[in-house]
Amino acid sequence: MIFPRVSSLLGLAAAAASILPGGVLAALTVVDTTVATPTATASATATAAASVPTTSGLRFAVDGATKYLAGTNSYWIGFLTNNADVDLVLNHIAASGLKVLRVWGFNDVTAKPAAGSNTVYYQYLSAAGSQINTGANGLQRLDYVVAAAAKRGVHLIINFVNNWSDYGGMPAYATAFGGTKEAWYGNAAAQKQYRAYVQAVVTRYANATSIFAWELANEPRCKGCATDTVYNWAADTSKYIKSLDPHRMVTMGDEGFGLPTANGTASTAYPYTTAEGMDFARNLGIATLDFGTFHMYPKGWGMDDSFGPGWIQDHAAACKKAGKPCMLEEYGTGTNHCTVEKAWQAASLAAAGDGMAGDMFWQWGDTLSTGKSADDGNTIYYGSSDGQCLIQDHVKAITS
Ligand SMILES: *[C@@H]1O[C@H](CO)[C@@H](O)[C@H](O)[C@H]1NC(C)=O
Ligand SMILES: *[C@@H]1O[C@H](CO)[C@@H](O)[C@H](O)[C@H]1NC(C)=O
Ligand SMILES: *[C@@H]1O[C@H](CO)[C@@H](O)[C@H](O)[C@H]1NC(C)=O
């Protein structure tokens, strides 16, 4: 009865190779596969407090302006190996008026790709010794995205681990360090390596002007667990990130499950329950989490598309109560994107300043040097009629 997220249903592959457009790997030039352990020399506090995006009441303050933000997701941009493709995507995103881009800041493997295979990965996990890949097929790919986004005034949400097995995730840590997926949050060896990875990434981008926020995970869940499990882990981890980088925002990256209704009549609908070990309002109370995140795939959760506006309004109410802005950071319906998602965007915008502070559709699509980027059924391609509807028209509605 419990549905995985829609992007998994639609077959996001575990290997970078299989999500990239046809032939991309074959076309690559040979890159160095140097693997090194992190050097955490930089002081993250060097980032000027004034230059980083912050919350401002129930809104975000970015580049000196406090306004509702439109954004999108590209999980794959940091796995591209052609700089020109990264530039093209960021040019289009910036030209569209989208301010925030969420990217995968993780790519974990438990077996290293064959030397010279050019497959991008960021971290190799093993109980015998994990390694963070800072080589040309490692974090240097994310470096390029961070620098290219900075040049164009695009702000990035970067997360550190997946709940799902795409690009490794918690299941990869479980493979390397043992235990069940649910036990990940309390697995000392897994958490030690996760923190080493977090530290490597956060300090690496200490001075980057393009970081919007650090995100603990993509869609953390702990099915059947007491809500204490994720709550305690999120409190400890976010506090740790703030110790490394006190000025930047930190958020959870969750789907927003375990939600009180604004009207006080408890809902028994699955996303409202704590079945996945998540308690949205309680987690939002963690002092070192700056804003709330939630996702919306009604069909993937066994609900109707009309579920959307209520889900948005109930999150807005919970965020308002907590005094922190809410970001609808992923949404998609699979079909009839314009008709359905336009109504969702309108519902979110209607609550601007009253709990909602932005929305980011899943996911950006573009035409790369190798062809069209992956279509998981929720891809909105730049220049398409759905793009006109959900990007241009939406940005116009925000600025008017
Ligand atoms: C950040 O800037 C400071 C001060 O200029 C410098 O000492 C430090 O090495 C820089 N860190 C990184 C990761 O570039
Ligand atoms: C991730 O989500 C799936 C689906 O609910 C769940 O089975 C799995 O246990 C979750 N992983 C963790 C670490 O909670
Ligand atoms: C209360 O809110 C829930 C969730 O948004 C909704 O399903 C329900 O119909 C509402 N109940 C009343 C009485 O308005």
Side-chain angles (χ1 to χ4, degrees):
M1 182 52 214
I2 289 166
F3 287 78
R5 61 181 266 147
V6 70
S7 49
S8 286
L9 280 174
L10 294 165
L12 288 193
S18 52
I19 59 97
L20 293 171
V24 66
L25 289 178
L28 299 177
T29 53
V30 172
V31 293
D32 181 16
T33 54
T34 311
V35 174
T37 46
T39 48
T41 49
S43 161
T45 55
T47 311
S51 71
V52 307
T54 60
T55 60
S56 174
L58 294 176
R59 296 181 188 262
F60 295 111
V62 181
D63 299 333
T66 301
K67 57 184 178 201
Y68 185 92
L69 302 175
T72 186
N73 288 265
S74 171
Y75 67 89
W76 42 261
I77 193 168
F79 309 150
L80 296 174
T81 50
N82 181 343
N83 290 345
D85 284 333
V86 174
D87 289 335
L88 173 128
V89 168
L90 286 165
N91 280 343
H92 290 166
I93 287 174
S96 299
L98 299 177
K99 296 287 177 212
V100 198
L101 176 66
R102 183 163 168 266
V103 306
W104 278 190
F106 57 83
N107 188 337
D108 306 310
V109 299
T110 51
K112 286 187 203 172
S117 77
N118 305 316
T119 301
V120 174
Y121 70 100
Y122 296 162
Q123 180 174 232
Y124 165 69
L125 296 170
S126 165
S130 300
Q131 289 167 321
I132 294 166
N133 180 7
T134 56
N137 68 334
L139 285 171
Q140 288 179 33
R141 298 313 310 152
L142 190 58
D143 294 352
Y144 193 84
V145 175
V146 168
K151 276 185 202 154
R152 294 162 177 86
V154 173
H155 300 278
L156 305 171
I157 296 180
I158 295 187
N159 51 25
F160 301 118
V161 69
N162 206 354
N163 173 65
W164 308 94
S165 59
D166 305 302
Y167 304 98
M170 295 175 194
Y173 281 84
T175 300
F177 302 109
T180 63
K181 282 185 269 172
E182 280 67 28
W184 180 85
Y185 299 95
N187 181 318
Q191 290 303 318
K192 185 166 178 248
Q193 186 56 35
Y194 168 75
R195 283 198 178 194
Y197 185 73
V198 167
Q199 186 196 35
V201 175
V202 169
T203 55
R204 193 173 180 88
Y205 304 126
N207 300 342
T209 58
S210 52
I211 309 299
F212 183 78
W214 303 120
E215 189 167 280
L216 305 192
N218 174 48
E219 303 188 337
R221 291 183 183 184
C222 192
K223 191 175 163 64
C225 307
T227 57
D228 284 352
T229 303
V230 171
Y231 177 86
N232 290 336
W233 166 80
D236 291 349
T237 307
S238 57
K239 199 170 155 197
Y240 173 67
I241 297 171
K242 289 284 187 183
S243 78
L244 299 170
D245 192 355
H247 302 306
R248 287 214 182 90
M249 294 191 287
V250 178
T251 192
M252 179 86 92
D254 60 315
E255 296 151 289
F257 289 167
L259 183 67
T261 57
N263 63 31
T265 307
S267 171
T268 53
Y270 154 66
Y272 279 85
T273 71
T274 55
E276 297 288 352
M278 302 299 291
D279 182 335
F280 181 79
R282 185 180 177 212
N283 293 337
L284 200 55
I286 295 170
T288 39
L289 291 180
D290 296 276
F291 62 95
T293 51
F294 67 103
H295 298 179
M296 200 162 79
Y297 296 103
K299 283 181 196 154
W301 300 336
M303 318 297 296
D304 195 79
D305 281 332
S306 63
F307 172 85
W311 184 242
I312 291 168
Q313 287 147 12
D314 288 339
H315 280 92
C319 275
K320 189 177 180 181
K321 200 170 169 195
K324 296 179 182 183
C326 256
M327 175 65 93
L328 171 53
E329 67 166 14
E330 281 191 28
Y331 56 89
T333 180
T335 50
N336 296 324
H337 295 288
C338 178
T339 319
V340 174
E341 294 171 37
K342 204 174 162 165
W344 295 349
Q345 290 179 336
S348 185
L349 197 47
D354 204 30
M356 291 307 303
D359 70 84
M360 305 165 63
F361 68 88
W362 179 278
Q363 65 162 320
W364 181 264
D366 220 320
T367 306
L368 309 175
S369 61
T370 45
K372 288 197 159 198
S373 63
D375 186 1
D376 64 2
N378 277 319
T379 306
I380 307 298
Y381 288 95
Y382 177 68
S384 67
S385 59
D386 280 340
Q388 174 68 42
C389 171
L390 298 172
I391 305 170
Q392 272 98 315
D393 294 354
H394 185 40
V395 168
K396 209 177 291 170
I398 290 167
T399 43
S400 69

